[in-house]
Amino acid sequence: MELLNNLWFGLQVAAEPINLLYCFLGVFLGTVVGVLPGIGALAAISLLLPLSYHIPPTAAIIMLAGVYYGAQYGGSTASILLNLPGTPSSAVTCIDGYPMARNGKAGVALFVTTIASLAGAMSGLVLLTLFSPVIAEVGLKFGPAEFCSMMLLGLVAASSVSSGSAVKGLAMMVFGLLLGMVGTDINSGVARFAFDVPELTDGINLVALAMGLFGIAEVVRCIKSADANRKIEKISLRSMAPSREEFRATVKPMARGSALGSALGALPGVGPSIAAFMAYAIEKKVARDPSRFGKGAIEGITAPESANNAAAQTAFVPSLSLGIPGDAVMAVMLGALIIHGIQPGPMLISEQPALFWGLVVSFAIGNIMLVILNLPTIGLWVALLRIPFAWMYPAILVFVALGVYSVNNNGFDIYLVTALGVMGYLLMVLRFEPAPLLLGYILGPLMEEYLRRAMLISRGDPMVFIERPISATLLAMTAALLLWALWSTLRGNLRARRQLAALQAAAD
């Protein structure tokens, strides 16, 4: 009964005209950035952060969240029509979506992915509604030591489980922690790592960091890989209707993908991309004829699309309930909350019920808006894909400069975002994931604060982290993850050496 009352309260908040307007704006922009290959939800949310300053907090978070899950819908369009994934989580949709388009089934593929996305999002939403309050209640039993250990676990998990080398991920996380320490120490008032630059005494601007690492770096990468010779067929509403057999073939994969994505999305470091690839692997495993996959199997697009949308919803569970972001997008969302003076964590639901329940109900409204946007207006998205990239990216760079300048009205931030953009591109070239860096930057100051509180309470005795059972368990899990990351790296190096030795032997 209490849950229903909360949902009713959330509906009243989400149905306010200003919240509906920003929800629509968020899902519309999310669909646009999802359709356009290369930009991605993370870059788009980073670009919109300055704009959110001038919007009421609830409407701002609803809009940014709409961009996030809206991009999951739009991402499949470019994957199916162009074989270019709009978002990383849509990459797996290319495998069977593009062959379907080449077989004249592009309309069916677009319809099925939209329905699968809605099914996945709704199942994830149910999980978010049911479990967030429970997790928040457990979180209320946490003290400073437990929060510090939990944040350390979240950082290590997100850095070592995410894509790419685990060691590189951990290195980027540590680098992010160091960047988070730049600025004035809140206890002693001493400037740290400011190097006598007055603008750095307030710390590195989150907006500049996010825009530089993801916005500018992505634009430079996309300019280099832009496809100028794009030919896209026309899609009519009639061509989108699937046959009875095709519709029947999507039901079970949709259910499996939704369940898998809902479960994996709540884990730090997993995110929609891994959920989508795992759903695809499972479908291929359980299929009667796995040889159809890669040639236009409808199950190959249904399961991943439902999984990545379910994961996008449940990613909010640890972020809002415990203040632990599962990936870089969630880290930016937490940054947006902090900018608006809202502290994410177990107290969020009790202290900000309008924001939490309004956000939850807005997810349902936003997903319904997305279905309406994606089906009848498919022609608009197809036309959008015909815009030359050369026209679009200069406009984005101007928007970045204006956005970052508007935060503090300080020209130094434009230099800063340019330098961070160059750094982000170099990291991308060297295959260093920037997401762990951002997680370290966001969580570092919070973890330091809890560490100091725990040490003050224990009068300087570090055993407080071991003597408290929950904290000790979390630290043990962190140590296990670190060992696993080191072992996987060593195993990969040994395998590479064996392959090299075999190649040399064959050449001799």
Side-chain angles (χ1 to χ4, degrees):
M1 195 64 188
E2 186 183 350
L3 182 63
L4 292 176
N5 289 335
N6 289 330
L7 289 174
W8 174 245
F9 176 57
L11 179 61
Q12 290 173 317
V13 175
E16 289 177 12
I18 187 170
N19 292 333
L20 280 177
L21 174 67
Y22 281 106
C23 183
F24 176 78
L25 188 64
V27 297
F28 179 79
L29 289 173
T31 307
V32 171
V33 299
V35 169
L36 295 173
I39 299 177
L42 185 56
I45 292 173
S46 305
L47 295 173
L48 286 171
L49 264 185
L51 182 66
S52 76
Y53 287 3
H54 311 289
I55 304 172
T58 303
I61 302 303
I62 285 175
M63 181 186 71
L64 296 178
V67 174
Y68 180 43
Y69 59 80
Q72 311 300 325
Y73 276 72
S76 59
T77 304
S79 300
I80 292 167
L81 297 179
L82 291 175
N83 202 24
L84 291 172
T87 59
S89 61
S90 302
V92 69
T93 308
C94 294
I95 300 173
D96 280 286
Y98 188 61
M100 280 187 76
R102 297 191 68 174
N103 295 334
K105 290 282 184 181
V108 174
L110 290 169
F111 178 85
V112 167
T113 52
T114 303
I115 299 302
S117 299
L118 178 67
M122 288 303 178
S123 62
L125 188 56
V126 171
L127 202 71
L128 172 68
T129 308
L130 292 176
F131 285 93
S132 283
V134 178
I135 294 173
E137 281 184 23
V138 174
L140 288 174
K141 297 174 183 172
F142 280 32
E146 284 80 6
F147 272 116
C148 182
S149 302
M150 170 66 88
M151 287 181 179
L152 187 63
L153 173 63
L155 278 174
V156 172
S159 306
S160 58
V161 179
S162 58
S163 60
S165 163
V167 173
K168 284 184 176 178
L170 291 170
M172 293 302 290
M173 182 265 287
V174 174
F175 187 34
L177 287 174
L178 291 174
L179 289 182
M181 293 176 72
V182 174
T184 306
D185 179 52
I186 53 171
N187 287 342
S188 63
V190 175
R192 300 185 302 191
F193 303 112
F195 304 105
D196 294 328
V197 179
E199 287 85 356
L200 286 179
T201 52
D202 290 333
I204 293 176
N205 188 345
L206 167 65
V207 177
L209 183 69
M211 280 186 162
L213 281 182
F214 300 102
I216 292 183
E218 277 296 318
V219 167
V220 176
R221 186 187 67 82
C222 292
I223 287 171
K224 288 190 70 179
S225 61
D227 180 8
N229 302 312
R230 292 170 291 161
K231 292 181 180 177
I232 304 159
E233 63 175 287
K234 288 186 177 178
I235 307 291
S236 65
L237 281 176
R238 182 175 290 179
S239 70
M240 298 177 76
S243 66
R244 185 177 294 179
E245 289 75 22
E246 286 170 337
F247 186 76
R248 196 178 294 162
T250 62
V251 176
K252 288 182 180 176
M254 210 180 293
R256 282 190 288 264
S258 300
L260 183 75
S262 299
L264 293 180
L267 301 176
V270 177
S273 300
I274 294 177
F277 277 96
M278 286 189 71
Y280 185 84
I282 288 174
E283 284 309 312
K284 199 171 177 181
K285 196 83 176 173
V286 301
R288 289 181 182 175
D289 181 13
S291 64
R292 292 189 305 108
F293 282 75
K295 300 171 185 171
I298 200 165
E299 303 96 313
I301 59 171
T302 311
E305 282 299 316
S306 53
N308 68 30
N309 281 274
Q313 303 295 332
T314 53
F316 285 89
V317 174
S319 304
L320 296 177
S321 306
L322 295 173
I324 308 293
D327 58 15
V329 179
M330 285 297 111
V332 177
M333 293 291 293
L334 287 194
L337 283 169
I338 293 168
I339 285 170
H340 283 281
I342 299 165
Q343 185 65 41
M347 300 299 288
L348 177 72
I349 299 176
S350 56
E351 290 180 353
Q352 301 283 345
L355 185 141
F356 179 81
W357 292 110
L359 184 63
V360 167
V361 176
S362 80
F363 289 162
I365 295 173
N367 277 285
I368 293 168
M369 285 180 179
L370 280 165
V371 173
I372 297 168
L373 267 175
N374 275 268
L375 289 182
T377 59
I378 189 66
L380 174 68
W381 309 124
V382 171
L384 202 61
L385 283 170
R386 295 195 178 99
I387 298 176
F389 291 150
W391 297 2
M392 213 161 42
Y393 292 132
I396 293 175
L397 290 177
V398 172
F399 185 69
V400 166
L402 289 174
V404 79
Y405 179 78
S406 68
V407 176
N408 296 320
N409 292 328
N410 189 344
F412 176 79
D413 286 341
I414 297 180
Y415 296 117
L416 186 64
V417 75
T418 307
L420 290 167
V422 172
M423 185 182 80
Y425 181 70
L426 290 176
L427 291 174
M428 198 180 288
V429 170
L430 296 172
R431 298 183 184 278
F432 280 89
E433 287 285 327
L437 186 154
L438 190 66
L439 287 173
Y441 171 83
I442 297 273
L443 284 186
L446 288 172
M447 196 167 75
E448 182 188 2
E449 190 181 331
Y450 283 117
L451 174 69
R452 286 185 169 182
R453 281 189 199 170
M455 295 299 282
L456 279 172
I457 291 170
S458 67
R459 297 176 184 273
D461 184 5
M463 292 303 290
V464 66
F465 295 100
I466 308 295
E467 289 167 349
R468 296 174 71 92
I470 297 176
S471 174
T473 306
L474 293 170
L475 287 178
M477 290 167 69
T478 308
L481 265 176
L482 281 172
L483 289 173
W484 177 82
L486 289 173
W487 164 244
S488 64
T489 305
L490 284 173
R491 191 177 54 178
N493 289 340
L494 286 173
R495 190 180 299 160
R497 283 184 185 178
R498 284 197 206 105
Q499 288 174 345
L500 184 63
L503 286 172
Q504 286 175 341
D508 293 338

